[in-house]
């Protein structure tokens, strides 16, 4: 027997999941023997063939039924989610609606996304051929999901894979295994075929998933992402990695300060700061710095911390995660920073850390350079927008960012100078809702992207080119026809085509 949300590292038999907010038992989980993962993947691979043959329209019907089940069972899902994560009801309420939104979008575009694509011939002599690119699903997609959003992160990628015609082998975090079982039960209850399986465990089970998948989608830390990529590379299995972030916010002198302050506090404290695209550092022009800081402190002091109903944000997932937040704050204060709010672990039971606003910070401090994943908001004064851009880019991470200015054109110009996968103008985290656009990181924040419109489905496919004759006229005419005379004639013809000037089009 093992206990999650603790320092336990051995996983065998069954385990008890504890609520990090209260220490109460949230439920029981049966750990998967790593040696069983291969047979589970084999079963998925067999079921996937029929799933692919259903075609996009047939799969869309199954996904639509699942969306209805998610909506009908939202209350049960959120209750379990709060029990195993210690979230507030405000944070827990975001996950199921996000999935239903993704499902709604995917159902609309999946037919077009996987339809064969006809390509034109590049040379006149090849116009006798019809070139079609087919998108064939990879049989088994392994999804290794994190603990911060056990519902959303488990399925937001799985939805695209199922739409493409793949089977999905999901390994949730060993710290939050319960909601994954409920999601799988819902898939079966809504009539979904046996192309969605859940395996439970820690590193050994994750390795078995990588070893038996045809594509791996991983969300988690940069350090673990490197290990996932290295193991997948041994079999030349493609991966998509969404990894760590240290997302910056830039507040220009012409920004709406109240709007920027509200956004900074929400973006930093939402889900206790345990969001990959949370606001982790803020650069404010000196002319509005004092006003911005005052507005942030005002908003933070109004927050109510605790699990369940009526609270703004809940517990950190574990004492280990809380210790990282504690270290970052203590190191910053010891180096000269000031904590205007919070700055300590909350009194009483549970892994709670008080919402903390840090000022007088700089890039010598870990709170500005390392991913905190906790309820902290470091704010730094800058002399110019150019300095803000330089500091924002002075990071090994590049997931997302935000820019606040009343001049939207100016903000867009600043956005295009930031080295990251997405930038929100006068908002934060909203790119997560843009399922038609890619969400991916630069630098050590990842490889590839999730979502991305039709590309978010196609990424789970292999491209297969089929070249078919439009006519049998001249078929086989070049087989072994390599006389010097024929080669010279072909060379002259190809050279003329390459050097030919393009025709003018009539105005």
């Amino acid at each position: 027997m093992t206990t999650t949300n603790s320092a336990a590292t051995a996983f065998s038999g069954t385990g008890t999941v504890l609520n990090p907010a209260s220490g109460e038992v949230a439920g029981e989980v049966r750990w998967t023997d790593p040696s069983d993962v291969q047979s589970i993947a084999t079963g998925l691979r067999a079921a996937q063939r029929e799933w692919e043959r259903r075609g996009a329209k047939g799969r869309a019907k199954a996904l639509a039924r699942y969306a209805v089940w998610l909506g009908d069972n939202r209350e049960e899902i959120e209750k379990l989610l709060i029990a195993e994560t210690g979230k507030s009801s405000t944070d827990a309420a975001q996950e199921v609606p996000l999935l239903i939104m993704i499902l709604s979008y995917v159902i609309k575009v999946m037919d077009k996304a996987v339809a064969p694509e006809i390509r034109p011939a590049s040379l006149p002599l090849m116009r006798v051929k019809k070139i079609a690119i087919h998108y064939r699903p990879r049989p088994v997609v392994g999804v290794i999901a994190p603990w911060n959003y056990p519902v959303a992160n488990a399925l937001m990628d799985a939805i695209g894979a199922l739409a493409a015609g793949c089977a999905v082998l999901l390994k949730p975090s060993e710290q939050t295994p319960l909601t994954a079982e409920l999601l799988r039960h819902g898939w079966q209850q809504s009539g979904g075929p046996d192309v969605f399986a859940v395996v439970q465990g820690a590193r050994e089970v994750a390795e078995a998933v990588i070893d038996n998948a045809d594509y791996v989608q991983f969300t988690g830390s940069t350090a673990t992402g490197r290990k996932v990529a290295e193991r997948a590379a041994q079999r030349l299995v493609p991966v998509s990695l969404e990894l760590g972030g240290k997302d910056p916010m830039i507040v220009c002198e012409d920004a709406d300060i109240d709007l920027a302050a509200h956004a900074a506090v929400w973006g930093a404290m939402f889900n206790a700061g345990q969001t990959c695209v949370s606001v982790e550092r803020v650069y404010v022009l000196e002319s509005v710095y004092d006003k911005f800081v005052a507005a942030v402190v005002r908003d933070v002091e109004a927050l109510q911390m605790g699990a369940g109903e009526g609270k703004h944000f809940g517990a950190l997932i574990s004492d280990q995660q809380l210790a990282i937040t504690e270290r970052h704050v203590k190191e910053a204060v010891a180096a000269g920073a000031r904590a205007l709010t919070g700055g300590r672990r909350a009194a009483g039971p549970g892994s709670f850390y008080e919402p903390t606003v840090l000022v007088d910070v700089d890039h010598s401090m870990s709170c500005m350079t390392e991913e905190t994943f906790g309820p902290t908001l470091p704010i730094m004064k800058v002399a110019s927008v150019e300095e803000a851009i330089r500091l924002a880019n002075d990071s090994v991470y590049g997931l997302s960012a935000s820019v606040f200015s009343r001049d939207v054109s100016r903000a867009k110009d600043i956005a295009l100078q930031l080295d990251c996968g997405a930038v929100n103008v006068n908002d934060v985290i909203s790119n997560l809702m843009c399922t038609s656009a890619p969400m991916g990181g630069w630098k050590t924040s990842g490889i590839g992207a999730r979502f991305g419109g039709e590309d978010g489905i196609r990424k789970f496919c292999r491209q297969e080119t089929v070249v078919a004759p439009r006519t049998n006229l001249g078929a086989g005419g070049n087989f072994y026809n390599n006389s010097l005379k024929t080669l010279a004639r072909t060379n002259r013809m190809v050279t003329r085509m390459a050097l030919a000037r393009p025709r003018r089009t009539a105005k």
Side-chain angles (χ1 to χ4, degrees):
M1 169 109 31
T2 56
T3 302
T4 65
N5 297 327
S6 72
T9 56
F11 294 85
S12 61
T14 59
T16 301
V17 181
L18 302 182
N19 184 330
S22 64
E24 297 175 353
V25 174
E28 302 289 326
V29 60
R30 178 171 295 280
W31 305 118
T32 304
D33 189 318
S35 63
D36 291 338
V37 174
Q38 183 176 12
S39 62
I40 295 170
T42 299
L44 288 173
R45 210 175 297 277
Q48 182 271 334
R49 299 189 190 100
E50 188 276 330
W51 180 239
E52 180 181 359
R53 284 195 293 268
R54 287 193 185 193
K57 288 184 172 60
R59 295 193 295 272
K61 292 178 181 178
L63 291 171
R65 291 193 297 269
Y66 191 42
V68 171
W69 182 90
L70 287 169
D72 289 344
N73 292 272
R74 177 180 174 182
E75 184 176 346
E76 180 185 2
I77 295 169
E78 290 176 0
K79 182 178 179 180
L80 182 58
L81 183 62
I82 291 170
E84 75 169 343
T85 64
K87 287 176 183 278
S88 69
S89 57
T90 301
D91 291 340
Q94 310 298 315
E95 300 199 38
V96 172
L98 174 61
L99 289 180
I100 294 174
M101 182 178 70
I102 294 171
L103 277 161
S104 176
Y105 175 76
V106 165
I107 288 167
K108 293 175 184 175
V109 304
M110 57 189 287
D111 190 19
K112 181 181 177 183
V114 298
E117 180 183 348
I118 306 302
R119 298 279 180 90
S122 58
L123 297 173
L125 60 87
M126 290 301 295
R127 288 175 184 165
V128 295
K129 301 294 184 181
K130 185 176 183 179
I131 306 166
I133 312 301
H134 294 258
Y135 295 92
R136 301 283 308 282
R138 299 180 187 275
V140 176
V141 171
V143 177
I144 303 175
W147 45 258
N148 58 333
Y149 294 97
V151 173
N153 270 323
L155 284 184
M156 62 171 59
D157 299 299
I159 288 168
L162 290 167
C166 313
V168 171
L169 181 57
L170 169 65
K171 193 211 84 72
S173 168
E174 62 274 16
Q175 299 194 78
T176 54
L178 301 179
T179 44
E181 295 290 351
L182 181 57
L183 294 175
R184 178 180 175 275
H185 172 72
W187 175 255
Q188 294 176 320
Q189 198 172 48
S190 64
D194 293 330
V195 291
F196 178 26
V198 174
V199 292
Q200 302 282 12
R203 178 177 58 83
E204 293 82 1
V205 175
E207 290 174 346
V209 169
I210 298 167
D211 292 345
N212 289 279
D214 304 296
Y215 187 103
V216 178
Q217 172 70 51
F218 172 79
T219 304
S221 71
T222 297
T224 304
R226 286 193 178 98
K227 295 176 182 177
V228 170
E230 289 169 0
R231 193 172 188 97
Q234 294 175 17
R235 296 175 49 237
L236 298 180
V237 170
V239 299
S240 180
L241 309 174
E242 191 202 303
L243 308 178
K246 192 69 181 176
D247 290 6
M249 172 192 280
I250 295 176
V251 181
C252 298
E253 76 284 352
D254 63 342
D256 180 331
I257 297 303
D258 275 338
L259 173 66
H262 292 328
V265 172
W266 185 77
M269 306 303 171
F270 179 72
N271 202 40
Q274 299 171 122
T275 303
C276 57
V277 290
S278 63
V279 176
E280 290 233 359
R281 50 196 172 112
V282 185
Y283 304 98
V284 186
L285 270 293
E286 56 187 350
S287 61
V288 293
Y289 175 82
D290 290 339
K291 184 178 179 181
F292 176 82
V293 170
V296 164
V297 170
R298 174 202 65 202
D299 287 357
V300 168
E301 288 178 340
L303 295 178
Q304 295 186 37
M305 177 176 56
E309 292 289 337
K311 307 299 181 182
H312 291 100
F313 70 90
L316 289 131
I317 192 64
S318 65
D319 282 347
Q320 292 92 329
Q321 191 60 41
L322 189 147
I324 295 172
T325 304
E326 281 187 313
R327 176 175 64 83
H328 285 186
V329 173
K330 287 181 179 179
E331 289 176 354
V333 171
R338 292 181 293 133
L340 301 184
T341 66
R344 58 186 177 272
R345 179 173 183 156
S351 301
F352 290 96
Y353 195 86
E354 294 182 356
T356 300
V357 177
L358 292 169
V359 294
D360 299 335
V361 295
D362 59 47
H363 278 217
S364 69
M365 302 172 185
S366 56
C367 70
M368 293 292 284
T369 58
E370 298 178 14
E371 185 175 39
T372 304
F373 233 55
T376 65
L377 185 57
I379 306 173
M380 184 174 176
K381 183 191 299 183
V382 294
S384 65
V385 169
E386 290 72 24
E387 182 185 9
I389 293 170
R390 178 180 61 80
L391 290 168
N393 289 336
D394 181 23
S395 175
V396 297
Y397 297 110
L399 195 54
S400 71
S402 55
V403 179
F404 282 76
S405 170
R406 294 182 190 273
D407 185 339
V408 174
S409 295
R410 179 194 187 198
K412 288 180 180 179
D413 180 65
I414 295 169
L416 292 175
Q417 299 177 65
L418 300 178
D419 298 337
C420 59
V423 181
N424 297 291
V425 172
N426 293 334
D427 203 351
V428 294
I429 308 181
S430 59
N431 60 296
L432 265 178
M433 310 299 174
C434 301
T435 56
S436 61
M439 180 191 170
W442 293 14
K443 298 186 276 191
T444 63
S445 287
I447 298 173
R450 56 168 39 127
F451 304 146
E454 295 166 13
D455 289 337
I457 299 171
R458 287 177 180 167
K459 79 174 194 177
F460 296 110
C461 297
R462 296 166 292 190
Q463 293 183 2
E464 181 177 357
T465 300
V466 177
V467 181
R470 293 183 183 276
T471 173
N472 288 327
L473 181 65
N478 290 324
F479 295 165
Y480 291 107
N481 189 4
N482 56 356
S483 68
L484 292 178
K485 184 177 180 180
T486 300
L487 290 174
R489 184 171 62 248
T490 302
N491 183 58
R492 288 194 300 271
M493 180 179 65
V494 172
T495 300
R496 281 198 301 271
M497 286 190 295
L499 297 178
R501 294 181 179 178
R503 293 180 179 179
R504 287 188 177 182
T505 55
K507 293 184 179 180

